Amino acid sequence: MADLFDLGDLPSWLQVPEVDEQTAIRVRRAANGWLQDATSLTEWPNPLPDRLWAWAIELAAIAYRNPAAAASGRIDDFEYVADRARRTQILDDARRAYPAATTGPQWSFPKPDWSWSGREVGC
């Protein structure tokens, strides 16, 4: 399976000098899991559409900045509100973009013809 984004994309997106490799792998896996759950895709398309890349990198940034999934926090005079609403919005967009992947089989098959089942076939 292709990766949703290169590990080097994460520090660039976050605008930080670097993100250690193990952390980048973990947050990429979190984004991967969230998007797989939302889209029901088991393999990512190749080439990867830009919107999947954008969703993945933003979800990874959310996981990186808030690994405990806290609703909000306060440090001295600085208060932040977590990106739960944004994560929900991204995953809802992914569900809408890939509805066929979440609705089951995409094909219909004719009903079986069992009319031959009770007949003897001569040799």
Side-chain angles (χ1 to χ4, degrees):
M1 173 187 279
D3 291 324
L4 287 168
F5 59 86
D6 295 329
L7 295 180
D9 292 341
L10 189 60
S12 175
W13 180 266
L14 294 169
Q15 297 182 3
V16 296
E18 66 180 63
V19 176
D20 72 90
E21 185 177 359
Q22 291 306 310
T23 300
I25 289 170
R26 283 192 297 274
V27 297
R28 182 173 64 189
R29 289 186 67 192
N32 186 69
W34 289 334
L35 281 174
Q36 279 186 328
D37 185 52
T39 64
S40 294
L41 294 173
T42 57
E43 295 210 11
W44 302 119
N46 188 7
L48 188 71
D50 288 344
R51 65 181 168 187
L52 277 174
W53 180 90
W55 291 332
I57 197 80
E58 192 170 354
L59 288 169
I62 289 169
Y64 178 81
R65 289 184 181 127
N66 189 11
S72 64
R74 184 176 189 89
I75 301 172
D76 294 329
D77 292 338
F78 178 73
E79 184 173 346
Y80 70 92
V81 177
D83 296 321
R84 282 185 181 179
R86 179 62 183 142
R87 182 179 75 181
T88 299
Q89 181 183 15
I90 291 168
L91 296 175
D92 287 345
D93 289 346
R95 284 183 192 95
R96 280 191 298 277
Y98 293 89
T102 60
T103 59
Q106 299 176 20
W107 304 278
S108 61
F109 297 96
K111 293 185 179 186
D113 178 12
W114 297 105
S115 60
W116 54 268
S117 64
R119 297 184 192 164
E120 293 289 326
V121 178
C123 294

